[in-house]
Amino acid sequence: MKKVSLKDIAAAAGVATSTVSFVLNGKGREMRISAILETKIKALADKAGYHPNRIAVSLRTGNSKILGLIVEDISNNFFATLAKVIEKEAESYGYNVVFCSTENDDKKGRQLLNILTQQQVDGFLVTPTIGMSDSLKTLHEQGYPIVLMDRNFPSLPIPSILADNYHAVAAGMQHLISQGYNKIGFVTVNMDLVQMTQREAGYRDALKKIKSNRPAAVILKVPINTSQENTVSLISKFLDSHKSLDAIFFATNYLGIAGLESIRDLTIEIPEELGVLCFDDHDIFRLYSPAISSIRQPTEDIGVHAVKLLIEQITQPMGTPTQNIPLQFAAKLIARGSTIKKLPLI
Amino acid sequence: MKKVSLKDIAAAAGVATSTVSFVLNGKGREMRISAILETKIKALADKAGYHPNRIAVSLRTGNSKILGLIVEDISNNFFATLAKVIEKEAESYGYNVVFCSTENDDKKGRQLLNILTQQQVDGFLVTPTIGMSDSLKTLHEQGYPIVLMDRNFPSLPIPSILADNYHAVAAGMQHLISQGYNKIGFVTVNMDLVQMTQREAGYRDALKKIKSNRPAAVILKVPINTSQENTVSLISKFLDSHKSLDAIFFATNYLGIAGLESIRDLTIEIPEELGVLCFDDHDIFRLYSPAISSIRQPTEDIGVHAVKLLIEQITQPMGTPTQNIPLQFAAKLIARGSTIKKLPLI
DNA sequence: CTGAAAGCGCTTACAG
DNA sequence: CTGAAAGCGCTTACAG
């Protein structure tokens, strides 16, 4: 556990610690350290297996080279994949990432911001809960670099990266309609954040575009943090009381997964009796029989650009103002068996 | 970004920083600071929103209160769930967790150990790759607290926590046999680590217990890090050339998921033509038609005890020897439709 | 070309 | 009861 320090190397080389520090940080040239000394010091450091103590470097320089990533739920496929992209991208900039999950709990979200602040992260990547708005505002005003992902606060000047939820849902609706579905229900979560409101708007506006026989919007809003079990039963009740629906659009993948259980329990046939489309792809959908059509989020784009934007903020001179011009990336419709209506067998 | 420091509080209170430090660390009593001063200091700290700089504390005390968690792949359900359990458990001891994934890459695994060491984590929780053995040995000899999970190195005296893979597979085989399946194939991954060898041994020994007409072991070993696509085609080929099999046991969930694709491609009927059982449960299995029987890992047990064991090592006096007596927890068989053989329709 | 010294924000023996 | 001082391991202006 005894670690080699700068001092040890300096002692071994018979020079001051500053000289070693310059050489090892590639400032030998700049400081006009002799080439011979350079080689000697580097060899010594190598042999001793020297690695700078990041904690000491952080304390001295004020940069921890750590990014704080706060997602809703790291065990959810979308966020796990996003985290993976971000980790890899951050690494390419020389940054490490600390993850944590809010579990959609405002209080926990605020705590995490505090904890990460105390750990002196250099910036935050966050999929916020509603209740984190004030804390994020304060941190942002204090000059902390922040990038929001998957959702944003229109009133805060914090940069954000989103899927183009509105147009993705619109395209999904278009697809359903082109397949002959007409009475389309929408199951969403009762969360007042932009990604969900955009999806709902995409649904409502798509309905409005139907010229003749325009159907009414039929929406179920499942309360946030409802258990899997209760979600299934809410959806079952909804389907049961809206028997006229011929297709259903789930606004998130966990709603879709719960919905598939409901549909199976009610022994409704997909896609003949009910077309099924779900926002946010999932392995399950590819494997289900029939395979479930979905809208795949641009996870890679979101992650890559979130890191890019954050690093830009970090390296910019303090106090450079940021704006909230949400960067939007197109999501992709994956049409599968669940929305290919077979011809009636008459 | 200007943070409140101890010094600021001390100045405001008109006392030395040491006094503030004592009070805020709950050592006021011990140091016999007057109750009046205590209250005053606490109030001031509160009002100023003071939080100690963890970096400075780490540097001074040598404890970062951070645990390094290295898993195979954070976007895989089993590891993500494990990470969640560990995060929560660590928090209860006052520790934070830094995650990363090896992606089954020896080199990356070793790099991660290095990076985390430089970040001065207080200990490691690791699901190691084979190639991390030497690095872990060295770290352990240097006195770093380490706990291995899901696999271990029998020759290293590092504590480990495992599912009882052997008996879990044996129980699964028992279940298949009791359902009338007899010619059972085994699909595993070509990885020379204990969790996989135990599963294979469980399979082989279960076959040996069959008294009459004992079938031979029929095993496919998919090379590690084979792409999803190629895994599917390997399994298809395997099933195709072993048409006499009446059941198949997948040794991991990603193999099972690939296997379901193969089985669907080959239009083999589950459970009539082929019984299917998979190690490591997954949402997909519950939702599949028919639902797929599986063996659920004791994720909660593994996570909770891994943290407990690690914290014990951290708080024990340096140099207390550790042993590798693997802690094993029972996995649970979840019998579903894929292994309930229907009666022949004669 | 190179070294001595200050200081990042804490904690903790030590002194009074 | 409380304060002055050292020191964790670095980096960097400053001096020579």
Side-chain angles (χ1 to χ4, degrees):
Chain A
M1 197 85 162
K2 191 70 208 72
K3 300 268 313 203
V4 194
S5 76
L6 251 200
K7 232 201 267 182
D8 301 328
I9 308 294
V15 299
T17 57
S18 42
T19 309
V20 179
S21 172
F22 290 138
V23 169
L24 264 25
N25 287 312
K27 297 194 180 162
R29 273 258 80 85
E30 198 178 316
M31 292 292 151
R32 285 171 301 182
I33 312 278
S34 70
I36 303 170
L37 229 194
E38 279 222 330
T39 338
K40 182 178 166 194
I41 289 175
K42 279 184 185 160
L44 244 24
D46 244 34
K47 197 167 112 248
Y50 172 74
H51 287 290
N53 180 328
R54 285 286 329 151
I55 299 266
V57 175
S58 295
L59 182 59
R60 178 58 226 238
T61 63
N63 303 123
S64 62
K65 294 278 178 182
I66 298 177
L67 307 181
L69 171 61
I70 301 180
V71 296
E72 182 176 316
D73 176 8
I74 192 69
S75 70
N76 176 100
N77 189 259
F78 169 64
F79 296 110
T81 310
L82 183 60
K84 208 158 135 181
V85 173
I86 286 173
E87 189 189 3
K88 196 174 147 209
E89 196 63 17
E91 199 191 342
S92 76
Y93 289 98
Y95 281 78
N96 285 109
V97 180
V98 185
F99 306 72
C100 27
S101 311
T102 63
E103 320 276 343
N104 249 322
D105 177 339
D106 289 338
K107 190 155 152 250
K108 183 157 184 220
R110 286 190 295 259
Q111 273 175 4
L112 290 174
L113 288 174
N114 256 326
I115 291 174
L116 292 178
T117 308
Q118 286 168 52
Q119 287 188 7
Q120 317 293 123
V121 298
D122 288 342
F124 294 92
L125 296 158
V126 190
T127 65
T129 65
I130 297 178
M132 289 167 78
S133 161
D134 283 350
S135 303
L136 285 167
K137 182 160 178 250
T138 308
L139 284 176
H140 178 258
E141 284 166 359
Q142 291 173 350
Y144 279 97
I146 306 176
V147 172
L148 305 181
M149 298 177 299
D150 186 47
R151 32 198 109 164
N152 71 0
F153 298 107
S155 64
L156 298 184
I158 303 179
S160 58
I161 319 248
L162 305 166
D164 184 349
N165 293 282
Y166 180 88
H167 289 102
V169 171
M173 290 294 288
Q174 204 48 52
H175 167 70
L176 285 171
I177 292 165
S178 76
Q179 292 295 319
Y181 295 105
N182 184 32
K183 312 221 34 160
I184 305 167
F186 193 72
V187 176
T188 183
V189 55
N190 190 9
M191 182 198 267
D192 196 22
L193 278 172
V194 68
Q195 88 282 21
M196 299 319 297
T197 53
Q198 282 181 356
R199 290 177 203 176
E200 184 176 332
Y203 165 74
R204 289 185 184 275
D205 289 356
L207 287 184
K208 284 187 196 140
K209 283 201 187 125
I210 298 180
K211 291 289 186 297
S212 58
N213 263 332
R214 179 184 309 160
V218 181
I219 299 185
L220 168 65
K221 293 202 183 191
V222 177
I224 204 161
N225 287 344
T226 303
S227 72
Q228 158 90 6
E229 209 176 324
N230 289 336
T231 305
V232 172
S233 90
L234 281 176
I235 296 173
S236 294
K237 244 178 260 167
F238 175 75
L239 289 173
D240 219 36
S241 54
H242 295 277
K243 290 226 166 68
S244 60
L245 293 178
D246 62 4
I248 189 147
F249 199 139
F250 294 101
T252 78
N253 62 20
Y254 74 87
L255 289 173
I257 292 169
L260 290 178
E261 280 206 57
S262 303
I263 292 168
R264 198 175 55 179
D265 290 351
L266 299 169
T267 63
I268 297 172
E269 291 293 325
I270 305 173
E272 295 83 352
E273 299 178 67
L274 193 71
V276 174
L277 179 56
C278 187
F279 202 97
D280 212 355
D281 199 21
H282 194 285
D283 267 352
I284 292 181
F285 299 152
R286 191 169 41 79
L287 282 166
Y288 207 78
S289 301
I292 305 299
S293 301
S294 71
I295 289 169
R296 181 179 294 156
Q297 298 235 43
T299 320
E300 180 87 17
D301 288 326
I302 294 178
V304 168
H305 285 85
V307 173
K308 183 156 172 280
L309 241 56
L310 189 63
I311 301 285
E312 277 171 18
Q313 277 187 65
I314 290 174
T315 50
Q316 262 167 18
M318 263 284 296
T320 309
T322 59
Q323 286 183 291
N324 180 4
I325 304 172
L327 258 183
Q328 301 217 126
F329 291 95
K332 195 176 162 202
L333 177 71
I334 316 279
R336 300 199 178 99
S338 70
T339 50
I340 311 299
K341 206 176 192 172
K342 290 168 193 152
L343 293 172
L345 297 171
I346 311 195
Chain B
M1 196 86 162
K2 192 71 209 71
K3 301 269 313 206
V4 193
S5 75
L6 251 200
K7 232 200 269 182
D8 301 328
I9 307 294
V15 300
T17 57
S18 42
T19 309
V20 179
S21 173
F22 289 138
V23 169
L24 264 26
N25 287 311
K27 297 194 180 164
R29 274 259 80 85
E30 199 177 318
M31 292 293 152
R32 285 172 300 181
I33 313 279
S34 69
I36 302 169
L37 229 194
E38 280 222 331
T39 339
K40 181 177 166 195
I41 290 175
K42 279 184 183 159
L44 279 168
D46 242 35
K47 199 168 111 246
Y50 171 74
H51 288 291
N53 180 329
R54 283 288 327 155
I55 300 267
V57 175
S58 295
L59 182 58
R60 177 58 227 239
T61 63
N63 302 122
S64 62
K65 293 277 177 185
I66 298 177
L67 307 181
L69 171 60
I70 302 181
V71 296
E72 181 176 317
D73 176 8
I74 191 70
S75 70
N76 176 100
N77 189 259
F78 169 63
F79 296 110
T81 310
L82 184 60
K84 211 158 133 182
V85 172
I86 286 173
E87 189 188 4
K88 196 173 148 212
E89 196 63 16
E91 200 191 340
S92 76
Y93 289 97
Y95 282 77
N96 285 109
V97 179
V98 185
F99 306 72
C100 27
S101 312
T102 63
E103 320 276 345
N104 248 323
D105 178 339
D106 288 337
K107 193 157 150 248
K108 185 161 183 220
R110 287 190 294 259
Q111 273 175 5
L112 291 174
L113 288 174
N114 257 324
I115 291 172
L116 292 179
T117 308
Q118 285 167 55
Q119 286 188 8
Q120 317 293 127
V121 297
D122 289 343
F124 294 93
L125 295 159
V126 190
T127 66
T129 65
I130 296 177
M132 290 166 78
S133 160
D134 284 350
S135 303
L136 286 168
K137 182 161 177 248
T138 309
L139 284 176
H140 179 258
E141 284 165 359
Q142 290 173 352
Y144 280 96
I146 306 176
V147 172
L148 304 181
M149 298 176 299
D150 186 45
R151 31 200 110 165
N152 71 1
F153 298 108
S155 63
L156 299 185
I158 303 179
S160 58
I161 319 250
L162 305 166
D164 184 349
N165 293 282
Y166 180 87
H167 290 103
V169 171
M173 289 296 288
Q174 204 48 51
H175 167 70
L176 285 171
I177 292 165
S178 75
Q179 291 296 318
Y181 295 106
N182 182 31
K183 312 223 30 162
I184 305 166
F186 193 72
V187 177
T188 183
V189 56
N190 190 8
M191 182 198 266
D192 196 22
L193 279 172
V194 68
Q195 89 282 22
M196 299 319 297
T197 52
Q198 282 182 355
R199 291 177 202 175
E200 185 176 331
Y203 166 73
R204 289 185 184 276
D205 289 356
L207 286 185
K208 284 187 196 142
K209 283 201 188 126
I210 298 180
K211 291 288 186 297
S212 58
N213 262 333
R214 177 184 311 159
V218 181
I219 299 185
L220 168 65
K221 293 203 184 192
V222 177
I224 204 161
N225 287 345
T226 302
S227 72
Q228 157 92 6
E229 212 177 323
N230 289 336
T231 305
V232 172
S233 90
L234 281 176
I235 296 173
S236 294
K237 244 178 261 168
F238 175 74
L239 289 173
D240 220 35
S241 53
H242 294 278
K243 291 225 166 69
S244 61
L245 292 178
D246 62 4
I248 189 148
F249 198 139
F250 294 102
T252 77
N253 62 19
Y254 75 88
L255 289 173
I257 291 169
L260 290 178
E261 279 206 59
S262 304
I263 291 168
R264 197 174 57 178
D265 291 350
L266 299 170
T267 62
I268 297 172
E269 292 292 326
I270 305 174
E272 294 83 353
E273 298 180 68
L274 194 70
V276 174
L277 179 56
C278 187
F279 201 97
D280 213 355
D281 199 21
H282 194 283
D283 266 351
I284 292 181
F285 300 152
R286 191 169 39 81
L287 282 166
Y288 207 79
S289 302
I292 306 298
S293 301
S294 72
I295 289 169
R296 182 178 293 157
Q297 298 234 42
T299 320
E300 180 87 18
D301 287 327
I302 295 179
V304 167
H305 285 86
V307 173
K308 183 155 170 280
L309 240 57
L310 188 62
I311 302 283
E312 276 171 18
Q313 277 187 65
I314 290 174
T315 49
Q316 261 165 20
M318 263 282 297
T320 310
T322 59
Q323 285 184 293
N324 179 5
I325 303 171
L327 258 182
Q328 302 216 129
F329 291 95
K332 194 177 162 200
L333 177 71
I334 316 279
R336 299 198 178 100
S338 69
T339 51
I340 310 298
K341 207 177 192 172
K342 288 169 195 151
L343 294 173
L345 297 170
I346 311 190

